Amino acid sequence: MFVDQVKIQVKAGTGGNGMVAFRREKYVPNGGPAGGDGGRGGNIIFKVDSGMSTLMDFRYHRKFKADNGGNGGNKQMTGRGAEDTIIPVPEGTSIYDQETGVLLADLVDVDQEVVIAHGGRGGRGNIHFASPNNPAPEIAENGEPGEERALQLELKVLADVGLVGFPSAGKSTLLATLTSAKPKVAGYHFTTLVPNLGMVRLDDGRDFVMADLPGLIEGASEGVGLGIQFLRHVERTRVILHVVDVSGEEGRNPYEDYVTINEELRKYDPSLLERPQIVVASKMDMPDSAANLEQFKLDLAKELGDKQPVVIPISAITHTGLDELVNKTADMLATAKQQALEVADEPDTHKDYEFAETTEEPFTISYDDEYETWVLSGSQIEKLFKMTDTTHDQSMLRFARQLKGMGVDQALREAGAKDGDTVTILDFTFSYVE
């Protein structure tokens, strides 16, 4: 089964917790702190596997989780760093963030890889918190939570040349004639449901990959028929072969078909019409094809003038015009630009021991009438709490100082909090003190 679009969930590993420990050895009465740091959590990495041709493997496996880092030990021993989780994907896979729709990565080269979700750093042990005022701190950090993301994977076939046109215009027959590909071809009306790829080799040594793509109909750019499922695969092609049935068998006007398909391409992505395009007048072996072709050329000249595209009449049955078509296509490919998708630049969110620069508010305050408590929320403040070791009083005092430094005390006071009110962060509740 050909699967070219899936939604999955990924979660990187959480860093290991730092440890509160002290050096205890004979003849060393004041050994001082010796708690080690936690290990790094595993990353989620996507890597191109040339042996894959579909996203079928993700059909029944949609959740991926990397391992957590090991906790720190005594004697300043650092916890074990977790192995990264590598997820193989086929060439041509685009990775989007489901929530924002931003393109995170476009994987087109063999063995290309990208870190999509970073593992959390390990929490610091108490050796990092010693000071002249507190030489024996009972303070350690929990590991940083790993990134968690909802992703959409889209496979966009890697082909130099794409065949577009109405269903049954002769695209599959042309591909089967020029290459060793075996797309379904029949004497009745149907449309290709999945892209078929084939390699075209010329006598002079040149070659290129051709894709027979699912047939378009009017309204495809708005989701009619196969719609976007087809148009997604056109994005990477460098040259478009627009196959037009000039036989008149279907009772359609070749020029109207040509205009309709180009309009759907324009609605989906106007840049598609800027790419080199050859109009392939197919089924020239039929009785009325020659007359229909002449009328088609007159319509093109009348409406487009000097901007009319190259028209090459062919017959896949008698092989008429095929040599001219492949040579002209190869010539165009020699000067056509490689198509690449624009990947968004992401900020560096993994600077050690500090929050990344962000425009997001560090916290928000709301009041829960049902439980009569003030609720603190926000990714920064929740992350700060998760990295706080709540089992030691000194760690909690440090957390309280951090909240005050962030302006939480002042914000609660301005929101109307009174002495003794309860305040909640995630599943932790404490009392507000003026």
Side-chain angles (χ1 to χ4, degrees):
M1 181 181 294
F2 182 82
V3 178
D4 61 357
Q5 191 172 15
V6 294
K7 294 181 179 180
I8 64 172
Q9 304 278 338
V10 298
K11 186 180 188 307
T14 298
N17 298 334
M19 187 176 190
V20 173
F22 297 93
R23 184 181 177 191
R24 291 184 174 89
E25 298 179 31
K26 192 175 183 179
Y27 309 121
V28 186
N30 299 310
D37 300 342
R40 177 186 64 83
N43 297 322
I44 296 288
I45 298 177
F46 284 80
K47 184 176 182 179
V48 173
D49 181 351
S50 59
M52 298 178 66
S53 59
T54 172
L55 298 176
M56 182 64 189
D57 291 353
F58 297 94
R59 189 77 180 266
Y60 306 106
H61 186 188
R62 295 178 181 267
K63 293 185 177 181
F64 298 85
K65 185 179 183 301
D67 294 334
N68 297 332
N71 294 333
N74 56 15
K75 298 183 180 180
Q76 302 183 24
M77 290 189 294
T78 300
R80 175 188 59 83
E83 295 288 335
D84 295 332
T85 295
I86 298 179
I87 304 173
V89 293
E91 296 172 77
T93 300
S94 299
I95 304 173
Y96 293 87
D97 187 296
Q98 271 193 53
E99 295 180 2
T100 63
V102 171
L103 177 62
L104 303 176
D106 189 31
L107 304 176
V108 296
D109 300 319
V110 176
D111 294 332
Q112 182 182 354
E113 60 181 45
V114 62
V115 178
I116 288 297
H118 293 80
R121 66 170 176 84
R124 292 177 289 179
N126 67 333
I127 59 174
H128 293 281
F129 299 98
S131 67
N133 294 329
N134 188 9
E138 293 187 1
I139 301 174
E141 288 179 332
N142 290 338
E144 179 186 24
E147 287 185 329
E148 188 169 2
R149 272 182 154 155
L151 304 174
Q152 178 163 313
L153 308 186
E154 293 185 0
L155 177 60
K156 302 174 182 178
V157 297
L158 293 174
D160 301 307
V161 178
L163 299 172
V164 304
F166 270 91
S168 295
K171 301 184 299 297
S172 297
T173 303
L174 177 59
L175 181 73
T177 304
L178 294 176
T179 73
S180 58
K182 304 298 180 185
K184 179 178 178 180
V185 177
Y188 52 87
H189 199 282
F190 76 98
T191 185
T192 301
L193 298 178
V194 300
N196 292 297
L197 297 178
M199 178 68 76
V200 179
R201 299 186 185 277
L202 283 69
D203 294 336
D204 58 10
R206 292 181 294 176
D207 56 35
F208 55 86
V209 177
M210 178 182 287
D212 163 30
L213 303 167
L216 272 178
I217 60 175
E218 187 172 1
S221 60
E222 300 171 358
V224 178
L226 293 175
I228 304 301
Q229 296 180 46
F230 156 77
L231 288 165
R232 179 169 58 251
H233 296 291
V234 186
E235 290 186 45
R236 298 193 195 276
T237 57
R238 292 190 287 154
V239 172
I240 296 175
L241 298 188
H242 191 153
V243 182
V244 177
D245 179 2
V246 295
S247 68
E249 284 185 306
E250 301 292 331
R252 297 197 305 263
N253 183 299
Y255 180 73
E256 291 179 357
D257 286 358
Y258 168 79
V259 172
T260 298
I261 297 300
N262 274 348
E263 180 62 15
E264 295 305 321
L265 294 177
R266 185 194 64 78
K267 288 179 180 178
Y268 179 74
D269 183 356
S271 68
L272 293 177
L273 295 184
E274 297 174 5
R275 299 181 192 177
Q277 184 177 127
I278 299 175
V279 176
V280 181
S282 67
K283 304 183 183 180
M284 287 301 297
D285 52 289
M286 302 301 291
D288 298 328
S289 295
N292 292 336
L293 175 60
E294 291 305 316
Q295 183 59 48
F296 176 65
K297 288 182 176 179
L298 289 175
D299 292 337
L300 283 178
K302 179 180 177 181
E303 298 296 331
L304 302 179
D306 296 337
K307 296 182 179 180
Q308 58 183 304
V310 176
V311 179
I312 299 179
I314 63 112
S315 169
I317 303 300
T318 65
H319 292 199
T320 302
L322 296 185
D323 288 341
E324 180 186 359
L325 175 62
V326 295
N327 279 286
K328 184 64 176 178
T329 302
D331 292 341
M332 284 190 172
L333 282 171
T335 57
K337 295 181 180 179
Q338 186 68 43
Q339 302 303 321
L341 304 182
E342 185 175 347
V343 179
D345 292 329
E346 289 203 301
D348 181 8
T349 59
H350 300 279
K351 300 175 182 177
D352 286 343
Y353 310 126
E354 61 183 74
F355 289 110
E357 296 180 4
T358 176
T359 57
E360 182 184 355
E361 291 293 330
F363 63 89
T364 58
I365 297 175
S366 60
Y367 188 78
D368 189 324
D369 293 319
E370 181 180 357
Y371 295 98
E372 298 183 345
T373 182
W374 296 95
V375 179
L376 296 177
S377 58
S379 59
Q380 289 194 37
I381 198 169
E382 289 174 2
K383 177 179 175 181
L384 186 66
F385 172 71
K386 289 177 181 177
M387 295 182 67
T388 298
D389 181 0
T390 58
T391 61
H392 290 88
D393 290 341
Q394 288 189 25
S395 290
M396 292 303 298
L397 288 173
R398 176 174 177 262
F399 178 59
R401 291 194 299 271
Q402 289 172 319
L403 292 185
K404 186 174 182 179
M406 294 174 70
V408 173
D409 288 9
Q410 180 65 26
L412 283 169
R413 189 178 301 111
E414 293 174 355
K418 300 293 189 297
D419 193 35
D421 285 358
T422 59
V423 181
T424 301
I425 299 178
L426 296 176
D427 57 352
F428 182 77
T429 300
F430 60 93
S431 296
Y432 173 70
V433 179
E434 286 278 6

